[in-house]
């Protein structure tokens, strides 16, 4: 496993949009209706949207690349934390995806280390995230990475109101 992790730049918008939509579909498509998936993908992905995120000072994007191929990405953002998050200086780990060929290879751990470094560089004291209650692999990974479950939050996928677990760890 040899990946390089670097901050995203506006020129990554197209590739990131494609990668983000595809990995979201691969992660959650089998357990959700095509209609709900389509509504969410339409509202969350697309080159213009990712370009705006890459340019947004409240969002940090990290890309893990194997050569010129994206192996994974993480996005952090400044946004108010839910009440169950009580630590100082909270920052959200918004998105965290590793492509299938690189899962179980240590890429996720390397990306998480870079994510924590980026959060620390921004002055964050607490990293929090939402993970679907029916996503045991991600929950297991986050527990390995030091996150603990502190509560629940709602996530709306199309017309489906879902329950996420909220997890936190100190930076
Ligand atoms: C979540 C993700 C980043 C984790 O990266 P990864 O490389 O798969 O993580 P690891 O293999 O190091 O760790 C996953 C752990 O879950 C375990 N696991 C695997 N499948 C599992 C399952 N179905 N149920 C429970 N645990 C599972 C693994 O055994 C491993 O633990 P171990 O190392 O102690 O054996 C990656 O799987 C991913 O991108 N998934 C799809 C997108 C996603 O769900 N993102 C998170 C959105 S909140």
């Amino acid at each position: 496993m040899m990946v390089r992790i670097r901050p995203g730049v506006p020129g990554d918008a197209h590739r990131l949009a494609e990668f983000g939509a595809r990995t979201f579909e691969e992660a959650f498509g089998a357990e959700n209706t095509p209609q709900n998936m389509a509504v969410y993908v339409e509202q969350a992905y697309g080159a213009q949207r990712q370009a705006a995120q890459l340019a947004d000072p409240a969002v940090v994007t990290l890309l893990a690349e194997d050569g010129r191929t994206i192996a994974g990405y993480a996005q952090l953002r400044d946004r108010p934390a839910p009440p169950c998050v009580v630590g100082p200086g909270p920052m959200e780990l918004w998105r965290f995806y590793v492509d299938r060929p690189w899962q179980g290879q240590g890429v996720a751990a390397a990306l998480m280390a870079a994510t924590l470094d980026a959060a620390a560089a921004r002055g964050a004291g607490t990293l929090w995230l939402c993970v679907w209650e029916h996503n045991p692999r991600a929950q297991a990974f986050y527990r390995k990475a030091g996150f603990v479950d502190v509560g629940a939050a709602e996530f709306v996928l199309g017309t489906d109101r879902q329950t996420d677990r909220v997890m936190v760890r100190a930076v």
Side-chain angles (χ1 to χ4, degrees), residues 7 13 23 46-47 86 89 103 117 141-142:
T23 53
V86 295
Q103 289 177 11
D117 285 348
F141 170 76
Y142 293 136

Side-chain angles (χ1 to χ4, degrees), residues 4-90:
R4 197 174 74 100
I5 298 171
R6 63 168 176 90
V9 296
D12 295 316
H14 235 271
R15 288 199 306 149
L16 182 58
E18 185 279 327
F19 185 89
R22 179 172 61 76
T23 53
F24 184 83
E25 299 262 17
E26 288 177 2
F28 306 115
E31 292 172 275
N32 291 284
T33 68
Q35 293 80 2
N36 284 337
M37 290 294 293
V39 168
Y40 185 81
V41 166
E42 168 68 25
Q43 78 194 25
Y45 300 103
Q48 281 189 346
R49 217 164 262 118
Q50 267 66 54
Q53 291 163 7
L54 287 160
D56 185 344
V59 176
V60 177
T61 301
L62 296 174
L63 299 185
E65 290 175 315
D66 185 349
R68 291 187 42 79
T69 304
I70 302 178
Y73 78 108
Q75 286 184 305
L76 301 97
R77 67 176 165 177
D78 289 319
R79 144 167 114 104
C84 58
V85 173
V86 295

Side-chain angles (χ1 to χ4, degrees), residues 23 27-28 94-99 102-109 129-132 135-144:
T23 53
F28 306 115
W94 178 24
R95 293 188 174 121
F96 195 87
Y97 288 77
V98 170
D99 206 354
W102 288 274
Q103 289 177 11
Q105 310 281 312
V107 171
L129 61 85
C130 292
V131 53
W132 194 21
N135 188 353
R137 181 168 190 151
Q139 289 180 31
F141 170 76
Y142 293 136
R143 277 195 300 274
K144 270 199 305 183

Side-chain angles (χ1 to χ4, degrees), residues 23 42 47 59 80 90 101-102 110 147 154 156 160 166:
T23 53
E42 168 68 25
V59 176
W102 288 274
F147 287 81
E154 186 181 78
V156 180
D160 189 17
V166 179

